[in-house]
Amino acid sequence: MEGHEFSIPSTPPLLPPLNPSSPYLFTPSLPSSSLQTPLEPQIFSDIDWATLFSSQSGVAETGPMMENSCAMAESKGEEEKWCKESKRKISRMKKTSRPRFAFQTRSVDDILDDGYRWRKYGQKAVKNSTYPRSYYRCTHHTCNVKKQVQRLSKDTSIVVTTYEGIHNHPCEKLMETLTPLLKQMQFLARF
DNA sequence: CGCCTTTGACCGGCGC
DNA sequence: GCGCCGGTCAAAGGCG
């Protein structure tokens, strides 16, 4: 897989990338000078930030984000219309209490290898975006975590991934890596 | 055969 | 009540 560059507009995600073969970079946690190609946090009016950042868990802040996003609208009319729609979505999403976080990825691949297994259950064309939004569910039978993946129409190299919920099981790929090590440690511990 | 993606249909919330 | 929109379902088909 190719290298990915992450940019999180407000706060870092709860779960770090788990696949060591994928050198993900999180810009907010690193000084921009330390990156080879810094990706400044940006607000895109064509992404549905209201949906992406409507979290009650405090993972993401909606207030300043929404103000900035509204300011990015091209015309006054568009701005009012867009803000109105976003506020409606926020009020709708506040009814759900599942933790959510979103982050941007600069990548040619829409799907990130985050170590978990996902099944795609839908794809929809969304308003204000050229690219469709894809819906995925964690394949673990007891896990109800979902994620949405959408490419920005303004910057086609950037993919926005939104996670909803918290996995209630270990990461399969991480366990695959750790299990032999743990067995070896248990074996050695007997001496 | 099991697991996955694709895709049109369907549903519920919301504004007018 | 109607239409729009985002999210989900489920049948069909592909692939290893």
Side-chain angles (χ1 to χ4, degrees):
Chain A
M1 191 195 286
E2 301 187 20
H4 295 282
E5 223 180 86
F6 280 69
S7 174
I8 308 164
S10 53
T11 53
L14 294 173
L15 303 173
L18 295 168
N19 185 352
S21 66
S22 302
Y24 301 137
L25 299 174
F26 292 83
T27 50
S29 58
L30 294 167
S32 58
S33 57
S34 69
L35 297 172
Q36 289 178 337
T37 51
L39 179 64
E40 294 296 325
Q42 295 175 64
I43 312 300
F44 296 92
S45 58
D46 62 341
I47 268 293
D48 186 357
W49 293 108
T51 303
L52 297 182
F53 288 91
S54 53
S55 161
Q56 286 197 316
S57 64
V59 174
E61 299 284 337
T62 53
M65 179 64 66
M66 293 309 301
E67 285 170 22
N68 291 339
S69 302
C70 290
M72 289 289 288
E74 287 173 12
S75 67
K76 185 79 180 173
E78 283 292 307
E79 177 183 328
E80 284 175 4
K81 186 179 159 193
W82 192 82
C83 287
K84 200 175 169 183
E85 285 179 7
S86 301
K87 280 169 188 168
R88 191 200 328 159
K89 283 162 189 166
I90 285 175
S91 68
R92 190 190 308 165
M93 292 307 297
K94 276 184 178 173
K95 286 170 187 171
T96 65
S97 56
R98 303 188 74 197
R100 271 174 159 248
F101 63 83
F103 53 88
Q104 300 173 22
T105 315
R106 177 157 281 163
S107 170
V108 289
D109 301 319
D110 284 0
I111 310 302
L112 314 174
D113 186 2
D114 57 8
Y116 290 95
R117 292 176 64 201
W118 301 92
R119 176 179 292 114
K120 190 175 185 176
Y121 66 90
Q123 181 173 304
K124 271 296 246 195
V126 260
K127 234 186 158 189
N128 302 321
S129 181
T130 321
Y131 297 92
R133 179 179 298 169
S134 299
Y135 301 90
Y136 297 87
R137 227 193 303 265
C138 181
T139 57
H140 197 271
H141 51 287
T142 60
C143 186
N144 200 26
V145 176
K146 293 171 192 171
K147 74 172 178 180
Q148 301 177 4
V149 177
Q150 186 181 1
R151 190 170 288 278
L152 288 179
S153 52
K154 255 195 179 141
D155 187 341
T156 58
S157 65
I158 293 179
V159 174
V160 179
T161 307
T162 309
Y163 286 87
E164 184 182 321
I166 296 167
H167 294 279
N168 59 8
H169 59 96
C171 167
E172 286 93 342
K173 288 193 178 172
L174 188 62
M175 290 308 288
E176 274 176 30
T177 309
L178 290 179
T179 301
L181 285 170
L182 286 169
K183 280 185 178 170
Q184 197 170 359
M185 285 172 72
Q186 284 170 352
F187 176 75
L188 292 171
R190 287 193 283 178
F191 300 103

